[in-house]
Structures are given as structure tokens and as C-alpha cells.
Amino acid sequence: MKILKVNATAITTEGAPQMLENHRSEWTAEDKKKTNLDNIAKDILYKTLDKNIFAKIKTCSTSKEIWEKLTQLCEGNDQTKENKLTVAIQKFYNANMKLGESLAEFDEQFSAIIIEMTSLGKECFKCKI
């Protein structure tokens, strides 16, 4: 993890201060605490991942990078989310109760479609009470 400090002698072209890496010997107690929390977060993430996913995130150096990579892997980009939503909407319109299927089984299938659509940002029903 890199702890940054402001370089008082230089300013970037955008007017923002230039940042330099703060060496470990110059870390404050707060910097050490942040690093420790990052290590704890990485440890928790590592312990919850299977070998396949771990192989995809092992090059990340901070817990924030790991989380962003996991989000990208699991949720995908905007195009992927849009494709998943299109498929879920098609499932919704094509949902039919199959011969021999109980109402409870159909309800479970239909509820799963609604949950999937809702998780992708599609509001399915508005309740007015």
C-alpha cells in the first residue's frame, strides 16, 4: 500500500498538488492504522474466494483494487449489465407454468426472475397502498 504526501515544491498542470510516495519511515500512526486495516480487508477477501477467482485478483495490491476487480468480474461493465437485464426481461415475458409444475415451483421461478431484474436496476412493480 502506498501512503502519499503532497509535494509542496511542484504543482501539476491542472493546478492540483503533485503527490509523492511517503516512505515507511515517515508514516504516522494514522498511516500505519490505514495500512493495517487494508491488510485485514485483503485477508478477509482472500479467505472468501475460491482458487479460480483468487487467480484473477492476486496481482491487486490493495483491498480497494481487489474489490473493484471483483465488482468488474461479477457484475461486469455497463454493456454486460444491459445484456443481463435484456435476458432477464425475456425470461419474464416467456415465463410459463409447465405441465406438472406446482404453483410453489412456478412462484419460486418467477420470484427469481423478479429478483434478478431488480438487482440489475429494473423496477418491476410499484405498489400503491
Side-chain angles (χ1 to χ4, degrees):
M1 182 169 174
K2 294 180 182 178
I3 303 292
L4 302 177
K5 64 180 177 181
V6 176
N7 182 2
T9 61
I11 297 178
T12 62
T13 56
E14 296 84 29
Q18 182 184 25
M19 303 302 283
L20 296 174
E21 185 174 348
N22 198 357
H23 297 287
R24 190 174 289 242
S25 61
E26 300 172 350
W27 284 6
T28 64
E30 184 68 22
D31 294 338
K32 291 175 184 176
K33 183 179 176 182
K34 287 178 184 176
T35 303
N36 188 45
L37 289 174
D38 187 66
N39 288 334
I40 291 169
K42 287 192 300 188
D43 185 55
I44 291 168
L45 290 168
Y46 289 157
K47 287 179 179 178
T48 60
L49 301 175
D50 65 20
K51 291 177 184 177
N52 294 329
I53 298 291
F54 179 77
K56 295 176 183 176
I57 59 96
K58 67 181 177 185
T59 59
C60 298
S61 58
T62 65
S63 57
K64 184 176 189 300
E65 288 178 26
I66 293 169
W67 189 257
E68 289 171 350
K69 183 74 171 184
L70 288 172
T71 302
Q72 181 185 10
L73 289 170
C74 296
E75 293 181 7
N77 58 21
D78 290 338
Q79 182 64 41
T80 305
K81 288 179 187 178
E82 189 64 35
N83 290 342
K84 287 180 180 180
L85 182 58
T86 301
V87 170
I89 290 170
Q90 288 173 347
K91 287 181 192 176
F92 175 82
Y93 285 116
N94 294 329
N96 290 316
M97 193 167 173
K98 296 172 183 68
L99 189 62
E101 184 176 32
S102 71
L103 190 56
E105 292 169 331
F106 178 73
D107 180 58
E108 186 177 319
Q109 171 195 348
F110 193 73
S111 294
I113 295 169
I114 298 298
I115 290 168
E116 182 180 0
M117 291 171 61
T118 304
S119 71
L120 293 167
K122 178 74 173 170
E123 188 174 319
C124 301
F125 304 102
K126 288 186 179 180
C127 295
K128 293 183 181 180
I129 298 176

